[in-house]
């Protein structure tokens, strides 16, 4: 089975989103408030922090290259989930940080431009105030933006879910991404014979519930596993997974080559922790990972990441010819396009290939994290459980999670959560408490 695995990429950018002043020592922990226990105890990047009456609170204003520090005791009462802070202090015998100073950051200045290429999941409002959900963002495309349409698209009034947008924009204070450039395209699958060949060569054997025999699966990349004939586990995955499938996919008619036939299975492989996604929509989760997840919300984060990968990589079925699939698989694994793939310029796929030729494995992991959060939110799962799920996923010892910094995937999710899902943000219709799944 030709697959692309949602193998975790550990090559993310450093967590710190701001450089400390030269006369300030390195903080003990630098990042986001990820949990609040009480007025005097909270977590930053998953590490427990304790404050005392001697703890100093300082507001740091950053303007271009200048930083201004101002003592501000009121910060103690404004600490909230998702706030960016730097904490200085020493660790006690319980691996907790006893804070001596807490810096709250205010950044002023222009936001950096954000670029991307992704499938449109929703059209929130139409022309003239076009707002869509894509790439894990809620983005506005004003009439003042530079807009291009690739055939058969002709105007903003024809933009629809399952079409694709290449964009450049900046975030407003409310988290809404406002595009100043956008190109809309539609993938037309012109190689059904290629899809048939891929299905004919499929080596996936589902579990036989009638005889209780284990199925087997060859996952590619030298990875093999067995599919436990445990209908209860697979039924749980199916229920969560089907709830996560976006409406834009559900609404496609059977036979539409853009429709992905999602199926969800558990498989036994102790060497893999994340989900494994096939090009035709099979999402497999290690039984070891299912056992680690404490709630359906956390398990939904793992499944959503696999679904997001299938959604965002789907055009590979059209862009690459059968003869180039070996090189395409290298690209799927997060490596740059090489050889003949670098110059692909198909009318329906060239934009996609050109974008991903410039996209690192890190950026693709971040895209799946964003889209996965949007899938969880739209399905009613608790998006704030996603960073914890990845923390559990990566931990050698789950019992020691509170003493270790969160993995980079979790921290990137907190960056998105703080910007788009917390109160005061209009970017995504979200709240602290969603209609969470089964606990």
């Amino acid at each position: 089975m030709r697959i692309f695995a949602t193998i975790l990429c550990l090559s993310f950018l450093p967590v710190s989103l701001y450089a400390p002043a030269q006369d300030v020592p390195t903080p003990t922990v630098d990042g986001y408030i990820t949990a609040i226990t009480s007025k005097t105890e909270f977590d930053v990047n998953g590490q427990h922090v304790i404050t005392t009456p001697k703890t100093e609170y300082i507001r740091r204003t950053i303007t271009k290259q200048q930083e201004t520090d101002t003592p501000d005791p009121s910060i103690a009462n404004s600490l909230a989930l998702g706030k960016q802070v730097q904490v200085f202090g020493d660790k006690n015998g319980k691996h907790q940080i006893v804070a001596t100073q807490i810096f709250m950051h205010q950044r002023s200045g222009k936001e950096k431009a954000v670029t991307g290429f992704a499938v449109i999941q929703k059209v929130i409002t139409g022309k003239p105030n076009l707002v869509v959900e894509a790439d894990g963002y809620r983005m506005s495309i004003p009439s003042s933006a530079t807009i291009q349409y690739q055939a058969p698209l002709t105007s903003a009034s024809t933009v629809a879910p399952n079409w694709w947008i290449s964009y450049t924009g900046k975030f407003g204070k409310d988290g809404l991404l406002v595009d100043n450039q956008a190109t809309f395209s539609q993938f037309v699958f012109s190689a059904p014979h290629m899809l048939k060949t891929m299905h004919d060569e499929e080596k996936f054997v589902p579990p036989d519930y009638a005889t209780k025999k284990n199925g087997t699966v060859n996952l590619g990349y030298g990875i093999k596993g067995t599919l436990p004939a445990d209908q209860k586990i697979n039924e749980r995955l199916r229920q969560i997974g089907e709830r996560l499938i976006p409406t834009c996919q559900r609404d496609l008619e059977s036979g539409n080559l853009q429709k992905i036939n999602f199926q969800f299975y558990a498989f036994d492989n102790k060497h893999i922790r994340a989900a494994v996604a096939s090009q035709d929509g099979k999402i497999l989760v290690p039984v070891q990972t299912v056992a680690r997840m404490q709630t359906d919300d956390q398990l939904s984060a793992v499944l959503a990441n696999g679904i997001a990968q299938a959604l965002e990589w789907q055009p590979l079925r059209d862009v690459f010819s059968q003869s180039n699939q070996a090189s395409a698989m290298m690209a799927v694994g997060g490596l740059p396009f090489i050889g003949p793939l670098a110059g692909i310029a198909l009318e329906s796929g060239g934009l996609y290939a050109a974008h991903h030729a410039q996209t690192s494995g890190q950026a693709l992991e971040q895209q799946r994290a964003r889209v996965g959060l949007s899938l969880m939110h739209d399905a009613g799962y608790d998006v704030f459980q996603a960073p914890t799920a990845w923390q559990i996923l990566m931990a050698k010892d789950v019992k020691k999670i509170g003493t270790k910094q969160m993995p980079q995937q979790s921290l990137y999710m907190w960056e998105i959560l703080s910007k788009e899902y917390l109160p005061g943000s209009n970017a995504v219709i979200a709240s602290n408490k969603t209609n969470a799944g089964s606990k």
Side-chain angles (χ1 to χ4, degrees):
M1 177 170 64
R2 293 184 173 88
I3 59 92
F4 36 89
T6 55
I7 298 172
L8 295 177
C9 175
L10 301 180
S11 59
F12 285 88
L13 291 173
V15 176
S16 178
L17 302 180
Y18 29 71
Q22 293 181 356
D23 60 343
V24 176
T26 302
T28 310
V29 63
D30 178 357
Y32 299 92
I33 296 177
T34 54
I36 295 180
T37 306
S38 67
K39 292 183 177 180
T40 60
E41 297 186 30
F42 55 93
D43 290 359
V44 177
N45 293 1
Q47 296 186 74
H48 199 60
V49 177
I50 298 175
T51 62
T52 71
K54 295 182 179 180
T55 301
E56 296 180 295
Y57 296 89
I58 301 169
R59 189 173 301 279
R60 172 168 290 167
T61 303
I62 305 173
T63 306
K64 294 183 179 179
Q65 302 301 320
Q66 296 181 345
E67 298 177 350
T68 303
D69 295 342
T70 306
D72 188 352
S74 68
I75 290 175
N77 297 319
S78 63
L79 296 176
L81 204 64
K83 291 287 187 179
Q84 295 179 347
V85 295
Q86 286 183 328
V87 178
F88 297 84
D90 299 315
K91 290 189 177 181
N92 60 21
K94 297 181 180 180
H95 300 284
Q96 300 168 328
I97 300 171
V98 181
T100 56
Q101 290 182 318
I102 296 176
F103 283 74
M104 181 78 76
H105 289 72
Q106 283 185 217
R107 180 180 293 277
S108 58
K110 296 181 178 179
E111 284 276 351
K112 292 183 178 180
V114 178
T115 62
F117 183 77
V119 63
I120 296 174
Q121 290 178 232
K122 293 181 182 178
V123 176
I124 310 298
T125 60
K127 190 178 180 180
N129 299 312
L130 182 61
V131 179
V132 302
E133 182 180 322
D135 213 10
Y137 298 125
R138 183 177 168 101
M139 60 180 71
S140 169
I141 303 93
S143 57
S144 59
T146 301
I147 303 175
Q148 295 181 333
Y149 303 93
Q150 292 190 349
L153 302 183
T154 57
S155 70
S157 62
T158 61
V159 174
N162 294 309
W163 291 2
W164 294 72
I165 180 171
S166 175
Y167 64 89
T168 299
K170 293 185 179 181
F171 288 103
K173 292 182 178 180
D174 60 1
L176 187 69
L177 183 62
V178 181
D179 295 348
N180 52 45
Q181 292 183 330
T183 299
F184 295 97
S185 59
Q186 182 183 28
F187 282 95
V188 180
F189 290 92
S190 57
H193 65 281
M194 174 180 162
L195 294 177
K196 182 178 185 301
T197 300
M198 291 167 60
H199 287 295
D200 289 345
E201 293 179 358
E202 186 64 75
K203 297 180 181 179
F204 180 89
V205 181
D208 187 340
Y209 296 132
T211 62
K212 300 297 181 182
K213 291 182 179 179
N214 288 348
T216 60
V217 61
N218 184 348
L219 302 174
Y221 297 108
I223 301 171
K224 295 183 179 180
T226 59
L227 296 170
D230 188 332
Q231 190 168 6
K232 185 177 180 179
I233 293 177
N234 285 287
E235 178 62 18
R236 182 187 178 197
L237 292 178
R238 185 194 66 79
Q239 290 182 0
I240 297 174
E242 289 189 355
R243 182 170 162 182
L244 290 165
I245 298 172
T247 302
C248 65
Q249 274 289 319
R250 296 179 189 277
D251 290 346
L252 290 175
E253 296 180 358
S254 179
N256 188 318
L257 290 178
Q258 288 184 295
K259 189 176 183 66
I260 303 175
N261 180 29
F262 284 105
Q263 300 176 60
F264 305 92
Y265 295 96
F267 77 106
D268 189 0
N269 189 307
K270 63 182 180 181
H271 302 296
I272 297 176
R273 294 186 181 179
V276 175
S278 72
Q279 288 180 338
D280 59 353
K282 292 183 178 68
I283 311 297
L284 295 94
V285 181
V287 290
Q288 293 83 356
T289 294
V290 176
R292 276 194 168 211
M293 296 298 106
Q294 300 167 350
T295 67
D296 281 5
D297 292 298
Q298 292 176 2
L299 186 54
S300 75
V302 179
L303 285 166
N305 192 275
I307 294 173
Q309 190 166 12
L311 291 171
E312 300 301 334
W313 277 108
Q314 187 187 14
L316 281 175
R317 298 184 295 177
D318 181 52
V319 174
F320 304 120
S321 67
Q322 188 75 20
S323 62
N324 281 332
Q325 282 191 10
S327 296
M329 290 306 294
M330 293 184 67
V332 166
L335 300 177
F337 290 112
I338 60 174
L341 300 181
I344 289 179
L346 304 179
E347 181 178 359
S348 62
L351 189 63
Y352 178 91
H355 170 75
H356 283 280
Q358 305 295 326
T359 304
S360 67
Q362 170 190 312
L364 296 177
E365 285 290 344
Q366 291 179 346
Q367 180 187 54
R368 289 191 283 273
R370 293 192 305 271
V371 174
L373 288 173
S374 71
L375 294 175
M376 288 179 65
H377 174 265
D378 291 348
Y381 287 104
D382 184 358
V383 292
F384 292 93
Q385 288 294 309
T388 302
W390 241 253
Q391 191 177 15
I392 293 172
L393 200 68
M394 296 298 296
K396 291 182 179 180
D397 186 348
V398 177
K399 295 180 180 179
K400 295 183 179 180
I401 281 180
T403 66
K404 303 291 184 180
Q405 178 164 291
M406 285 183 163
Q408 298 291 354
Q409 181 83 328
S410 295
L411 297 177
Y412 179 74
M413 288 179 179
W414 270 110
E415 178 183 342
I416 299 302
L417 290 171
S418 66
K419 181 179 292 184
E420 299 204 37
Y421 289 85
L422 290 171
S425 170
N426 294 324
V428 177
I429 304 173
S431 64
N432 274 317
K433 296 182 179 179
T434 61
N435 296 319
S438 302
K439 301 293 184 176

